Amino acid sequence: MGVTTTRGKRGRRRLPWLVVGLWVVLLAVAAPFATRLADVQHDRATDYLPASADSTQVAELAERLPGGETTRLLLVYHRAGGLTAADRATAARQTAQIARQHPPTTPPHGVPSADGTTLLYPVTSNEPGTDEKRRDAFVADVRRAAHGEGGLTVEVGGPAALATDASGIYSSLGGPLLYTTVGVVAVLLVLIYRSPVLWLVPLLVAGLSDLLARAAAYGLHQAVGTSVTGQSAGIMTILVFGAGTDYALLLVARYREELRQHEQPYDAMRAALRGCGPAVLASSGTVAAGLLCLLAADLNSSRGMGPLGTVGVLCALAAMLTLLPAVLVLLGRRVFWPLVPAHGSTPAARRSLFAALGSSAGRRPLTVLAGGAALLGALALGTLGLPGPLRQLDTFVDRPESVTAMETVARAYPERSAQPIEVLTPAGRAGDTLAAVQDTDGVADARRGRTGGGWTEIAVTTSAPPESAAETAVIEALRDRLPGSHVGGPSAQQLDLRDTDARDRLVVVPLVLVSVLLILIALLRSLVAPLLLVAAVVAVWGAALGLGGLVFEPLFGFHGTDPGLGLLSFVFLVALGVDYGIFLMHRMREESLAGAEPARAALTALRTTGGVIASAGLVLAATFAVLTNMGLVPLVELGFVIAVGVLLDTFLVRTYLVTSASVALGRRVWWPGPLSRTPSAAPERVPQPVA
C-alpha cells in the first residue's frame, strides 16, 4: 500500500512536467511554420469574392489573357482655378516617365474635364500580374513619380490604388491587432485576479496557443488550400485570446474553489477539470461547429474564415485544458498571491451583484422576463435604421489618397464613370458582343481589349457614377443580353457580394442553429433548455444589430453597412454567446442533480458562475472591440456588433433573463430529461460564490 501511494505521488509530480515538456517540443516544431502564415496570406479581390459569381470568373479569366491580370490606375491632375499649360506639360512628362520605368505600361492619354480643372490619365499595366507585393510596389512607384506643386494636386486612384490602400491596412493588422489584444486582455486579467502573478499565466498560455494556431492554419492551407486573408487571420487571433481566456477564467475559478476542498493542487486541478471540463468542451464544440458551418458559404472570405476560426478555438482549448493546468499545478497555491485560497477555508460572505440579480429574478421572474424581452425587441427595431449597402469608396474609416482621387473624378466628370466594367466574351463572338454592349442603355463607351485563351476583353464605361442604381441597372442589362459572356469589374464585384451574402444567410444560419442546438441537447439532456439558450442568443443578435443601426451613420458617420455583417455577426454571437449559457446551465444542472429545487438551483448557478461569466464576457467583448480601431469600416462594424452583443448577453440576457426563465419554468426547463420528472435524492451541495 505504501509503495502504491509513493508511486502515485511520483506520478502526480511527473505528469505536469511531462505535459509542459510535450508542449515545449510541440511549440519548437510549430514556430517555423507559424512565421510562414503571412507568406500565404492574400487580400486579392478573388479572395473575398463569391466562388461562383460572374465577377469572380472575370477576375480569374483575366489572368489567362496576354500579360496576365491588368493593374488599373487613374492619375488625377487637378487645379481648382483651372489647369495651366505648365500643368499639362508636367502631366505629360510624368506619365511618359512612368511608362518608361515600367515598360509594359502603355503611355496614357489625358482626358480633360469640361470645366478645365482636371486632367485624367488612365494607366494600365500588366507588369505586376497577380503578385500583390509587385502591385503595391508599382502603385508606390507611380505615386512617387506623379506629384504636383504650386497649387497643382496629383492623386492616384483607381481599382489598384484602392486595393493597395486596403491591403496596407490588412497587412498592418497582425502587429497592432496582436499587441492591442494582448494589452487589453492583460489589463482585464490584472483587474479580475488582483494578483501580480496569476494574470501572466493564462495570457502566456493564450500567446503560445496563438503561435500553435498560426502554424496549424499554415498547415491547413498547405494541405487543402484553405484561403488565408488579413480578415480571417486577424479574427483567428482574436478568437484565440478571447475564447482561450474565457476557458482559462472558468478553469481558474473552479480550481480556486477546489483548492479550498483539497490539500494538494494536483487533486484540486483534477476535480476542477472534472467539474468544468464538460462545459468547456461543449462550449468550444459549439463555437467550432458554428464556424465550420461557414464552409457552406459561397463567399470565399467567409468560407475560409470557418476553418481558421475553428483551428484557433481548438488550439486555445487544447492549451487551456493541458498546458494551463500543468503550469498552475507546478506553481502551486502561491500563484494566487496575495489572495491565496487556503485548504479548508471558506470565502468571505458578501452580497454580490449577481446575488441581487438572482433575488429579483426569483421574486418576479415573469415580470423580469417580459421587461427584458421588450427591451431587446425595442433595440432590434434599430435594424430599420441600418444604412444601405457599403460602397467600395466608403470602406475606409480615414479617406486615403485613392478615395479622394475618385471623389475628385466624380465631381469633375459627372457624365462618365471612372470605374470601367469588364466584359469577357468568347473570342469568336467578340464583334457581336461589342455591338450589343454599345447598344445597351447607359453605356457611354466600349472598346475591345486583349484576346487570348479563347476570350476577348471589352472595357465598358457607363454614364452613371460607380455603384449607383443606374450603373447597377447597366450591369444587370449586360448580363441579361450577353449569355455565355461574363461581366465583372469593381462595381460588379460589390453587386455579387451583396447577392451572395443574402444567399449565404439563408443557407448558413439554419445550419448554425441546428448544429448548436444538437450540441446543447447532448450536453444538457434536455430540449427546453437548449431552445431557451438559442432563442436568447438570437434575440441578442437582433438587439446588437439594432444598436448598430442607431449609431453607425448618426454617430460614426458610416455611409453603408458591410453586406457580410449580418451573417458573420450571427455566427460569432450565436456560437460565442451560447458559451455563457453552457457555463450557467451546466452549473444549474449540477445543482439540480445534487438535490436542489429548480429555483434554488438556478439562483445558485447564477451566484456561483455570475462573476466568471461577467469576467469572460468583458474579456471577449474587449478583444472584439479591438477591431473598432483597425481602419476599415467592415471590421469596425463587425467588432462593434459582436462586442455590444457579448455585453448584452453577459449582463442582461445570460445573467438575468435566462435565470428568470429557468425559475419560471421550474423542472420543465429540463424536459424531457429525467430531471424534469423526479427530484434527485443526492445530498445538496453547499455552493461557494466565485469572484
Side-chain angles (χ1 to χ4, degrees):
M1 185 71 176
V3 174
T4 303
T5 304
T6 302
R7 288 178 179 175
K9 290 181 178 179
R10 289 177 180 174
R12 293 177 181 182
R13 288 196 296 267
R14 290 175 180 174
L15 182 58
W17 285 111
L18 178 61
V19 171
V20 172
L22 289 175
W23 268 94
V24 170
V25 173
L26 179 61
L27 292 171
V29 174
F33 297 102
T35 59
R36 298 180 188 175
L37 185 64
D39 298 334
V40 299
Q41 176 181 313
H42 298 289
D43 292 293
R44 300 165 300 191
T46 51
D47 294 310
Y48 288 88
L49 288 174
S52 60
D54 213 29
S55 56
T56 309
Q57 302 299 314
V58 171
E60 293 176 348
L61 289 171
E63 298 177 7
R64 307 177 194 173
L65 296 176
E69 186 177 277
T70 299
T71 299
R72 302 181 186 276
L73 294 175
L74 294 176
L75 269 67
V76 185
Y77 291 83
H78 176 78
R79 185 183 289 273
L83 294 170
T84 65
D87 294 337
R88 296 186 180 89
T90 297
R93 183 176 65 254
Q94 291 179 356
T95 53
Q97 177 187 351
I98 292 170
R100 288 193 302 271
Q101 289 177 343
H102 302 276
T105 304
T106 304
H109 298 284
V111 180
S113 63
D115 60 6
T117 63
T118 309
L119 194 56
L120 177 65
Y121 282 85
V123 176
T124 60
S125 175
N126 303 113
E127 179 187 10
T130 59
D131 191 302
E132 294 170 77
K133 293 182 179 178
R134 294 181 64 185
R135 179 203 65 197
D136 296 345
F138 174 72
V139 173
D141 284 347
V142 172
R143 284 175 168 167
R144 281 192 295 268
H147 54 85
E149 56 184 21
L152 174 67
T153 62
V154 185
E155 296 173 315
V156 179
L162 288 166
T164 292
D165 289 338
S167 177
I169 294 177
Y170 276 122
S171 62
S172 68
L173 282 181
L177 183 66
L178 177 61
Y179 305 145
T180 307
T181 303
V182 170
V184 167
V185 173
V187 170
L188 289 175
L189 288 178
V190 170
L191 294 176
I192 291 167
Y193 287 139
R194 291 173 290 169
S195 167
V197 178
L198 181 57
W199 66 275
L200 277 170
V201 180
L203 187 64
L204 176 61
V205 173
L208 295 176
S209 59
D210 182 56
L211 186 148
L212 180 63
R214 295 180 68 82
Y218 174 78
L220 195 63
H221 171 82
Q222 295 298 101
V224 297
T226 301
S227 64
V228 181
T229 65
Q231 184 186 55
S232 61
I235 289 180
M236 182 184 73
T237 294
I238 284 179
L239 280 173
V240 169
F241 278 91
T245 306
D246 279 5
Y247 304 150
L249 286 168
L250 185 66
L251 177 65
V252 171
R254 191 61 177 260
Y255 177 53
R256 185 199 296 264
E257 182 179 343
E258 297 295 343
L259 280 172
R260 302 182 189 278
Q261 310 295 325
H262 299 83
E263 184 177 358
Q264 296 299 323
Y266 182 90
D267 297 327
M269 183 57 72
R270 285 184 60 186
L273 287 172
R274 282 197 302 267
C276 69
V280 172
L281 287 171
S283 169
S284 60
T286 58
V287 178
L291 290 172
L292 285 177
C293 290
L294 286 172
L295 287 171
D298 189 36
L299 199 64
N300 284 338
S301 55
S302 296
R303 194 168 61 251
M305 190 180 297
L308 257 68
T310 302
V311 163
V313 169
L314 294 182
C315 288
L317 173 71
M320 296 306 170
L321 290 187
T322 57
L323 181 59
L324 178 63
V327 173
L328 289 175
V329 169
L330 290 174
L331 293 175
R333 296 175 186 272
R334 60 184 177 274
V335 74
F336 289 94
W337 185 87
L339 304 175
V340 179
H343 176 230
S345 65
T346 56
R350 54 190 176 91
R351 182 71 170 170
S352 69
L353 168 66
F354 301 100
L357 290 174
S359 298
S360 60
R363 288 194 302 269
R364 293 180 293 274
L366 293 179
T367 302
V368 170
L369 192 59
L375 175 60
L376 292 176
L379 291 176
L381 292 176
T383 55
L384 301 175
L386 285 170
L390 188 68
R391 298 187 311 151
Q392 189 179 26
L393 295 183
D394 296 327
T395 57
F396 300 91
V397 175
D398 298 317
R399 298 186 306 163
E401 179 185 335
S402 56
V403 170
T404 58
M406 301 302 285
E407 291 173 343
T408 301
V409 171
R411 290 192 300 268
Y413 302 87
E415 75 286 353
R416 60 175 288 165
S417 172
Q419 198 159 266
I421 298 170
E422 298 176 47
V423 176
L424 281 177
T425 188
R429 303 210 313 259
D432 294 339
T433 301
L434 181 61
V437 171
Q438 292 172 334
D439 191 48
T440 302
D441 291 339
V443 172
D445 183 48
R447 300 183 183 185
R448 187 181 304 197
R450 300 169 294 167
T451 297
W455 296 89
T456 295
E457 181 183 51
I458 297 175
V460 182
T461 303
T462 70
S463 56
E467 299 181 53
S468 62
E471 189 193 44
T472 298
V474 174
I475 294 172
E476 293 174 342
L478 290 174
R479 287 176 170 172
D480 290 339
R481 299 188 63 180
L482 304 175
S485 300
H486 300 289
V487 180
S491 296
Q493 292 170 1
Q494 295 299 108
L495 177 62
D496 289 339
L497 282 173
R498 294 197 294 270
D499 292 342
T500 304
D501 270 307
R503 174 263 175 200
D504 285 349
R505 282 197 298 272
L506 294 176
V507 174
V508 176
V509 166
L511 286 176
V512 172
L513 291 176
V514 170
S515 60
V516 169
L517 192 60
L518 290 176
I519 292 174
L520 290 175
I521 291 172
L523 174 73
L524 300 176
R525 312 300 206 299
S526 163
L527 184 59
V528 174
L531 287 173
L532 173 63
L533 294 181
V534 170
V537 293
V538 172
V540 166
W541 171 66
L545 270 182
L547 279 170
L550 295 176
V551 302
F552 282 165
E553 192 165 17
L555 186 61
F556 295 166
F558 297 159
H559 300 297
T561 305
D562 180 55
L565 176 64
L567 176 61
L568 293 180
S569 62
F570 179 86
V571 171
F572 284 114
L573 280 178
V574 169
L576 294 169
V578 166
D579 277 13
Y580 306 133
I582 289 174
F583 298 162
L584 181 67
M585 282 292 189
H586 186 264
R587 189 59 179 260
M588 193 184 304
R589 191 170 186 275
E590 277 190 81
E591 298 298 330
S592 297
L593 287 171
E597 288 299 315
R600 178 171 173 78
L603 300 181
T604 299
L606 175 61
R607 188 165 60 250
T608 55
T609 65
V612 179
I613 292 176
S615 302
L618 283 172
V619 170
L620 191 62
T623 53
F624 272 98
V626 170
L627 288 175
T628 62
N629 195 38
M630 290 296 114
L632 288 174
V633 170
L635 294 180
V636 174
E637 291 178 341
L638 182 64
F640 176 86
V641 170
I642 295 178
V644 167
V646 168
L647 292 176
L648 281 174
D649 187 74
T650 302
F651 292 101
L652 173 63
V653 175
R654 200 63 50 208
T655 56
Y656 214 29
L657 302 188
V658 170
T659 302
S660 299
S662 300
V663 171
L665 288 169
R667 292 197 177 278
R668 287 168 294 183
V669 77
W670 303 115
W671 185 88
L675 280 176
S676 66
R677 296 187 294 273
T678 56
S680 173
E684 186 167 341
R685 181 171 179 260
V686 179
Q688 296 183 13
V690 178

